Amino acid sequence: MTDPHAPTSKFLSYILRHHPESIGITLDSQGWANIDTLLAQAAQHNRPISRAQLLEIVATNPKKRFTLSADGSQIRAAQGHSTAQVAIAHNPVAPPNTLYHGTATRFLDSIRSQGLIAGSRHHVHLSADIPTAQKVGQRHGKPIVLRINAAAMHAAGHAFYLSDNQVWLTDHVPAQYISEE
């Protein structure tokens, strides 16, 4: 069954993670956008979204990509930002012993030499379980799941964060902490 909200969800991800300026909005440093402004600007750019539709997307998105503020007046992407406007102040959290990263086999040579780097995003994204990592890897080509020795990284002083939607984040994963599943 296809998600009828997928096109709108992808649009919101594009705006709230990467290019808010494309519809004339500005995110604050924590990634928040005023919902009324977002809806008005989306409509002005031929992408009308009702408040009810927006709230349904937030509530039903299987990846929990979006977070509403406590008062319901603002929305943000939970993680995955590439825009310089946003630098969410995540609190460091001790990770589980092992985390996973799904990727495509074509990236292995680079990963073996450089480790996992954030690229255009603010953090490397890690999963707490293999099935989630496999799904992520499938989006990029022939998938492979990498095992991350998060306990050893943390003991060596690397910081980990847990996003609103339970994605583990870190700045970089050096190659010595990575093994192939």
Side-chain angles (χ1 to χ4, degrees):
M1 183 171 153
T2 60
D3 178 2
H5 298 297
T8 303
S9 180
K10 286 181 181 182
F11 171 73
L12 289 170
S13 288
Y14 175 78
I15 298 302
L16 296 173
R17 293 168 98 182
H18 309 297
H19 294 287
E21 73 283 354
S22 69
I23 63 166
I25 67 169
T26 302
L27 306 178
D28 73 13
S29 65
Q30 297 302 300
W32 295 108
N34 178 280
I35 289 176
D36 292 333
T37 303
L38 171 68
L39 298 177
Q41 290 300 108
Q44 282 190 1
H45 288 81
N46 298 315
R47 295 299 299 256
I49 305 167
S50 71
R51 181 175 288 273
Q53 184 182 17
L54 179 77
L55 296 177
E56 184 175 339
I57 289 168
V58 171
T60 63
N61 184 273
K63 296 181 181 179
K64 303 294 181 202
R65 289 183 189 250
F66 310 105
T67 304
L68 294 178
S69 62
D71 67 0
S73 69
Q74 297 183 304
I75 186 172
R76 74 177 177 190
Q79 51 37 248
H81 299 89
S82 65
T83 177
Q85 294 176 31
V86 178
I88 295 177
H90 296 287
N91 292 320
V93 178
N97 289 338
T98 304
L99 290 168
Y100 303 92
H101 181 80
T103 191
T105 56
R106 72 178 185 272
F107 299 128
L108 283 177
D109 287 341
S110 173
I111 292 168
R112 287 176 185 135
S113 66
Q114 299 179 47
L116 293 170
I117 58 174
S120 64
R121 293 189 179 177
H122 295 208
H123 297 99
V124 173
H125 296 188
L126 304 170
S127 304
D129 60 85
I130 293 172
T132 301
Q134 286 174 323
K135 287 178 190 172
V136 171
Q138 289 172 344
R139 295 191 323 229
H140 303 289
K142 184 179 177 191
I144 186 164
V145 173
L146 304 175
R147 178 183 299 267
I148 310 303
N149 187 340
M153 275 185 67
H154 189 254
H158 294 270
F160 287 85
Y161 314 96
L162 189 59
S163 70
D164 295 344
N165 64 343
Q166 306 304 297
V167 172
W168 284 93
L169 308 171
T170 193
D171 295 332
H172 172 249
V173 180
Q176 69 261 31
Y177 299 107
I178 302 170
S179 60
E180 297 170 27
E181 263 302 291

